[in-house]
Amino acid sequence: MDTLRIDSTQIAAWQSDGRYDYDREIVGGSQNLLEWLASVINQWLADLFDTALDNDVVYYSLMVVGALAALFIGWLLWKHRSRLFYGKKEDEAMDYEVEEDSIYGVDFDAELAETLAHDDYRQAVRLVYLQTLLHLQNAGRIEWQPSKTPTQYMRQVNDPAFSRLTRLFVLVRYGNFDATCATFDEVKALQRDVIQKGGAPHE
């Protein structure tokens, strides 16, 4: 009776023959993604320039490029979204309480002079905005209430200059925006525009 026998010599020949290496068809076979990508790039260079680099050279070059790309992305996030990396304590993020945002009983000229003397442009922007609300209240263009939000005043006034002024105030007041001398100059120019359109304030 015939029995099946394994031809080990033939099996070894098949295993050494690249034509039967079916694993290579499956995204690099036993290669990791980076190794597979390195081999693809190397093959592309060979086809395009009739030259080939060592796979290890391409592999480590890809690692360096990937690391540089990750560092660049991290730098962009740190520059434009720094609060993702660190937060400020609540008392550091707000220099003043919401209840203090009142338009009455404030000597705006004196307080502005003091804040500018200390280069406190964040506080100066806040004072200019509140002073503008006082102008609008006295001119009858708004009805000021402590519970109203800046957005409500912006919709009520419906003026491009005041809308821009309000957005800057919100950025500085709630968004921890770093106000500068240029920011202050801009809000003062916007305030003048708003006042000219609404008449002089009542003293």
Side-chain angles (χ1 to χ4, degrees), residues 38-137:
S39 64
V40 169
I41 292 176
N42 206 10
Q43 183 62 47
W44 176 76
L45 290 173
D47 294 340
L48 191 62
F49 300 106
D50 196 24
T51 184
L53 298 175
D54 187 276
N55 272 352
D56 286 343
V57 173
V58 180
Y59 177 80
Y60 289 113
S61 297
L62 286 174
M63 289 183 64
V64 171
V65 170
L68 291 174
L71 287 173
F72 179 69
I73 292 171
W75 177 80
L76 286 177
L77 288 173
W78 178 80
K79 184 175 178 63
H80 299 286
R81 294 289 185 272
S82 59
R83 286 187 298 169
L84 294 175
F85 295 88
Y86 58 87
K88 289 191 173 183
K89 295 179 181 179
E90 186 176 354
D91 57 344
E92 293 175 338
M94 286 191 180
D95 294 336
Y96 47 86
E97 299 296 329
V98 175
E99 300 85 75
E100 295 180 5
D101 285 347
S102 174
I103 65 174
Y104 296 119
V106 181
D107 187 341
F108 286 106
D109 291 335
E111 293 204 16
L112 272 171
E114 182 178 353
T115 56
L116 292 175
H118 294 87
D119 294 332
D120 188 356
Y121 296 110
R122 186 164 182 258
Q123 180 74 351
V125 168
R126 168 184 173 262
L127 289 170
V128 169
Y129 179 75
L130 294 177
Q131 186 182 42
T132 307
L133 291 182
L134 178 62
H135 283 287
L136 293 171
Q137 167 73 12

